[in-house]
Short mmCIF file of all heavy atoms in Angstrom, two decimals:
data_model
loop_
_atom_site.label_atom_id
_atom_site.label_comp_id
_atom_site.label_asym_id
_atom_site.label_seq_id
_atom_site.Cartn_x
_atom_site.Cartn_y
_atom_site.Cartn_z
N VAL A 1 121.35 109.18 75.69
CA VAL A 1 120.09 108.44 75.86
C VAL A 1 120.33 107.15 76.64
O VAL A 1 119.59 106.82 77.58
CB VAL A 1 119.47 108.14 74.49
CG1 VAL A 1 118.30 107.17 74.64
CG2 VAL A 1 118.99 109.43 73.82
N LEU A 2 121.37 106.41 76.27
CA LEU A 2 121.65 105.13 76.94
C LEU A 2 121.99 105.33 78.41
O LEU A 2 121.47 104.61 79.28
CB LEU A 2 122.79 104.42 76.21
CG LEU A 2 123.16 103.03 76.73
CD1 LEU A 2 121.97 102.08 76.63
CD2 LEU A 2 124.35 102.46 75.94
N ILE A 3 122.83 106.30 78.71
CA ILE A 3 123.24 106.54 80.10
C ILE A 3 122.07 107.06 80.92
O ILE A 3 121.88 106.65 82.08
CB ILE A 3 124.43 107.52 80.13
CG1 ILE A 3 125.67 106.84 79.54
CG2 ILE A 3 124.71 107.99 81.55
CD1 ILE A 3 126.82 107.79 79.27
N THR A 4 121.26 107.93 80.34
CA THR A 4 120.10 108.46 81.06
C THR A 4 119.09 107.36 81.36
O THR A 4 118.59 107.25 82.50
CB THR A 4 119.43 109.58 80.25
OG1 THR A 4 120.38 110.62 80.01
CG2 THR A 4 118.24 110.14 81.00
N LEU A 5 118.78 106.53 80.38
CA LEU A 5 117.83 105.44 80.61
C LEU A 5 118.39 104.43 81.61
O LEU A 5 117.65 103.93 82.48
CB LEU A 5 117.52 104.74 79.29
CG LEU A 5 116.69 105.54 78.28
CD1 LEU A 5 116.49 104.73 76.99
CD2 LEU A 5 115.33 105.91 78.86
N GLY A 6 119.67 104.14 81.51
CA GLY A 6 120.28 103.22 82.47
C GLY A 6 120.22 103.74 83.89
O GLY A 6 119.95 102.98 84.84
N THR A 7 120.45 105.04 84.06
CA THR A 7 120.37 105.64 85.39
C THR A 7 118.95 105.61 85.93
O THR A 7 118.71 105.32 87.11
CB THR A 7 120.90 107.08 85.35
OG1 THR A 7 122.24 107.08 84.83
CG2 THR A 7 120.91 107.69 86.74
N LEU A 8 117.98 105.91 85.07
CA LEU A 8 116.57 105.89 85.50
C LEU A 8 116.15 104.50 85.93
O LEU A 8 115.52 104.33 87.00
CB LEU A 8 115.68 106.38 84.35
CG LEU A 8 115.71 107.88 84.04
CD1 LEU A 8 114.98 108.17 82.74
CD2 LEU A 8 115.06 108.66 85.17
N VAL A 9 116.48 103.50 85.14
CA VAL A 9 116.10 102.12 85.49
C VAL A 9 116.83 101.68 86.75
O VAL A 9 116.23 101.06 87.65
CB VAL A 9 116.42 101.17 84.32
CG1 VAL A 9 116.20 99.72 84.72
CG2 VAL A 9 115.54 101.51 83.11
N GLY A 10 118.12 101.99 86.85
CA GLY A 10 118.88 101.60 88.03
C GLY A 10 118.35 102.24 89.30
O GLY A 10 118.23 101.58 90.34
N GLN A 11 118.01 103.52 89.24
CA GLN A 11 117.45 104.19 90.42
C GLN A 11 116.12 103.57 90.82
O GLN A 11 115.83 103.42 92.02
CB GLN A 11 117.27 105.68 90.14
CG GLN A 11 118.54 106.48 90.30
CD GLN A 11 118.27 107.98 90.42
OE1 GLN A 11 117.14 108.41 90.60
NE2 GLN A 11 119.32 108.77 90.31
N ALA A 12 115.29 103.23 89.85
CA ALA A 12 114.00 102.62 90.18
C ALA A 12 114.21 101.27 90.87
O ALA A 12 113.53 100.96 91.86
CB ALA A 12 113.17 102.44 88.91
N LEU A 13 115.13 100.46 90.37
CA LEU A 13 115.37 99.14 90.94
C LEU A 13 115.93 99.22 92.36
O LEU A 13 115.71 98.31 93.17
CB LEU A 13 116.32 98.35 90.05
CG LEU A 13 115.77 97.96 88.66
CD1 LEU A 13 116.84 97.26 87.84
CD2 LEU A 13 114.54 97.07 88.80
N VAL A 14 116.66 100.28 92.67
CA VAL A 14 117.26 100.42 93.99
C VAL A 14 116.35 101.19 94.94
O VAL A 14 116.11 100.78 96.08
CB VAL A 14 118.64 101.12 93.89
CG1 VAL A 14 119.18 101.45 95.29
CG2 VAL A 14 119.62 100.24 93.14
N ALA A 15 115.81 102.32 94.48
CA ALA A 15 115.08 103.23 95.38
C ALA A 15 113.73 102.68 95.80
O ALA A 15 113.32 102.84 96.96
CB ALA A 15 114.91 104.59 94.70
N ILE A 16 113.01 102.02 94.89
CA ILE A 16 111.66 101.56 95.22
C ILE A 16 111.68 100.51 96.34
O ILE A 16 110.99 100.69 97.35
CB ILE A 16 110.94 101.05 93.96
CG1 ILE A 16 110.64 102.22 93.02
CG2 ILE A 16 109.64 100.33 94.33
CD1 ILE A 16 110.09 101.81 91.67
N PRO A 17 112.43 99.41 96.22
CA PRO A 17 112.43 98.45 97.34
C PRO A 17 113.06 99.01 98.61
O PRO A 17 112.63 98.68 99.72
CB PRO A 17 113.24 97.27 96.79
CG PRO A 17 114.01 97.81 95.65
CD PRO A 17 113.19 98.91 95.07
N ALA A 18 114.08 99.88 98.47
CA ALA A 18 114.70 100.47 99.66
C ALA A 18 113.70 101.36 100.40
O ALA A 18 113.57 101.29 101.63
CB ALA A 18 115.94 101.27 99.27
N ALA A 19 112.98 102.20 99.65
CA ALA A 19 111.98 103.07 100.27
C ALA A 19 110.85 102.26 100.90
O ALA A 19 110.36 102.60 101.99
CB ALA A 19 111.42 104.04 99.23
N TYR A 20 110.45 101.19 100.25
CA TYR A 20 109.39 100.32 100.80
C TYR A 20 109.85 99.69 102.11
O TYR A 20 109.08 99.60 103.08
CB TYR A 20 109.02 99.25 99.79
CG TYR A 20 107.95 98.30 100.26
CD1 TYR A 20 106.63 98.71 100.40
CD2 TYR A 20 108.26 96.97 100.55
CE1 TYR A 20 105.65 97.84 100.84
CE2 TYR A 20 107.29 96.10 100.98
CZ TYR A 20 105.99 96.53 101.12
OH TYR A 20 105.01 95.66 101.56
N GLY A 21 111.09 99.23 102.15
CA GLY A 21 111.61 98.64 103.37
C GLY A 21 111.68 99.63 104.52
O GLY A 21 111.30 99.32 105.66
N PHE A 22 112.16 100.85 104.24
CA PHE A 22 112.23 101.87 105.29
C PHE A 22 110.85 102.32 105.75
O PHE A 22 110.65 102.69 106.91
CB PHE A 22 113.01 103.09 104.79
CG PHE A 22 114.50 102.90 104.80
CD1 PHE A 22 115.25 103.06 103.64
CD2 PHE A 22 115.17 102.56 105.97
CE1 PHE A 22 116.63 102.89 103.65
CE2 PHE A 22 116.54 102.39 105.99
CZ PHE A 22 117.27 102.55 104.82
N ALA A 23 109.87 102.29 104.84
CA ALA A 23 108.54 102.79 105.18
C ALA A 23 107.68 101.75 105.89
O ALA A 23 106.86 102.11 106.75
CB ALA A 23 107.82 103.26 103.91
N ARG A 24 107.85 100.46 105.59
CA ARG A 24 106.90 99.46 106.04
C ARG A 24 107.48 98.34 106.90
O ARG A 24 106.73 97.48 107.36
CB ARG A 24 106.22 98.83 104.81
CG ARG A 24 105.31 99.81 104.08
CD ARG A 24 104.21 100.27 105.00
NE ARG A 24 103.36 101.30 104.40
CZ ARG A 24 102.31 101.82 104.98
NH1 ARG A 24 101.98 101.42 106.20
NH2 ARG A 24 101.58 102.75 104.39
N TYR A 25 108.78 98.34 107.12
CA TYR A 25 109.37 97.27 107.92
C TYR A 25 110.04 97.87 109.16
O TYR A 25 110.61 98.96 109.11
CB TYR A 25 110.39 96.49 107.10
CG TYR A 25 109.78 95.47 106.17
CD1 TYR A 25 109.47 95.81 104.86
CD2 TYR A 25 109.49 94.19 106.61
CE1 TYR A 25 108.90 94.90 104.00
CE2 TYR A 25 108.93 93.25 105.76
CZ TYR A 25 108.63 93.62 104.46
OH TYR A 25 108.05 92.71 103.61
N ARG A 26 109.95 97.13 110.25
CA ARG A 26 110.63 97.49 111.48
C ARG A 26 111.81 96.55 111.67
O ARG A 26 111.63 95.33 111.77
CB ARG A 26 109.69 97.37 112.68
CG ARG A 26 108.41 98.20 112.56
CD ARG A 26 108.66 99.65 112.87
NE ARG A 26 107.43 100.43 112.80
CZ ARG A 26 107.38 101.73 113.01
NH1 ARG A 26 108.50 102.37 113.33
NH2 ARG A 26 106.23 102.38 112.90
N PHE A 27 113.00 97.07 111.71
CA PHE A 27 114.17 96.23 111.91
C PHE A 27 115.23 97.02 112.67
O PHE A 27 115.21 98.26 112.69
CB PHE A 27 114.73 95.70 110.58
CG PHE A 27 115.03 96.78 109.57
CD1 PHE A 27 116.26 97.41 109.54
CD2 PHE A 27 114.06 97.17 108.64
CE1 PHE A 27 116.55 98.39 108.61
CE2 PHE A 27 114.33 98.15 107.71
CZ PHE A 27 115.57 98.76 107.69
N LYS A 28 116.13 96.33 113.27
CA LYS A 28 117.16 96.94 114.09
C LYS A 28 118.08 97.81 113.23
O LYS A 28 118.58 97.37 112.20
CB LYS A 28 117.97 95.87 114.81
CG LYS A 28 118.96 96.42 115.83
CD LYS A 28 119.66 95.29 116.58
CE LYS A 28 120.63 95.85 117.62
NZ LYS A 28 121.32 94.76 118.37
N GLY A 29 118.30 99.02 113.67
CA GLY A 29 119.18 99.94 112.95
C GLY A 29 118.52 100.66 111.79
O GLY A 29 119.21 101.32 111.01
N ARG A 30 117.18 100.57 111.70
CA ARG A 30 116.50 101.20 110.58
C ARG A 30 116.73 102.71 110.55
O ARG A 30 117.06 103.29 109.51
CB ARG A 30 115.00 100.90 110.64
CG ARG A 30 114.24 101.42 109.41
CD ARG A 30 112.75 101.25 109.57
NE ARG A 30 112.20 102.13 110.61
CZ ARG A 30 110.91 102.43 110.72
NH1 ARG A 30 110.03 101.90 109.87
NH2 ARG A 30 110.47 103.22 111.68
N ASN A 31 116.54 103.35 111.70
CA ASN A 31 116.69 104.80 111.75
C ASN A 31 118.13 105.24 111.45
O ASN A 31 118.37 106.26 110.81
CB ASN A 31 116.25 105.33 113.12
CG ASN A 31 114.76 105.15 113.34
OD1 ASN A 31 113.98 105.07 112.40
ND2 ASN A 31 114.38 105.05 114.61
N THR A 32 119.09 104.44 111.93
CA THR A 32 120.49 104.77 111.66
C THR A 32 120.80 104.66 110.18
O THR A 32 121.45 105.55 109.59
CB THR A 32 121.41 103.83 112.45
OG1 THR A 32 121.13 103.96 113.85
CG2 THR A 32 122.87 104.17 112.20
N LEU A 33 120.32 103.59 109.56
CA LEU A 33 120.56 103.42 108.13
C LEU A 33 119.88 104.52 107.32
O LEU A 33 120.45 105.04 106.36
CB LEU A 33 120.05 102.04 107.67
CG LEU A 33 120.85 100.84 108.16
CD1 LEU A 33 120.17 99.54 107.72
CD2 LEU A 33 122.27 100.89 107.60
N PHE A 34 118.67 104.87 107.73
CA PHE A 34 117.97 105.92 107.00
C PHE A 34 118.68 107.26 107.19
O PHE A 34 118.73 108.08 106.26
CB PHE A 34 116.52 106.02 107.47
CG PHE A 34 115.69 106.96 106.65
CD1 PHE A 34 115.42 106.69 105.32
CD2 PHE A 34 115.19 108.12 107.21
CE1 PHE A 34 114.66 107.57 104.55
CE2 PHE A 34 114.43 109.01 106.46
CZ PHE A 34 114.17 108.73 105.13
N GLY A 35 119.23 107.48 108.37
CA GLY A 35 120.01 108.69 108.60
C GLY A 35 121.24 108.74 107.69
O GLY A 35 121.60 109.81 107.18
N LEU A 36 121.87 107.60 107.47
CA LEU A 36 123.02 107.54 106.56
C LEU A 36 122.59 107.85 105.13
O LEU A 36 123.31 108.51 104.37
CB LEU A 36 123.68 106.16 106.63
CG LEU A 36 124.40 105.84 107.94
CD1 LEU A 36 124.92 104.40 107.91
CD2 LEU A 36 125.56 106.81 108.18
N VAL A 37 121.40 107.35 104.75
CA VAL A 37 120.88 107.65 103.41
C VAL A 37 120.68 109.15 103.25
O VAL A 37 121.05 109.73 102.23
CB VAL A 37 119.55 106.89 103.17
CG1 VAL A 37 118.88 107.39 101.90
CG2 VAL A 37 119.80 105.40 103.08
#
């Protein structure tokens, strides 16, 4: 339970702002970074 909840919270904290940045911001190397993802 602890490891599952920790993974869920950690993924939300990382994936949500990262996805928002890739979706709504234009910056140099965006496509390359997204390709690495």
Side-chain angles (χ1 to χ4, degrees):
V1 170
L2 183 59
I3 291 169
T4 301
L5 290 178
T7 304
L8 286 170
V9 173
Q11 279 196 12
L13 293 176
V14 172
I16 291 173
Y20 179 71
F22 282 124
R24 292 299 175 177
Y25 281 92
R26 303 282 182 181
F27 54 88
K28 187 176 181 180
R30 186 187 68 163
N31 293 335
T32 301
L33 290 175
F34 187 66
L36 291 176
V37 170

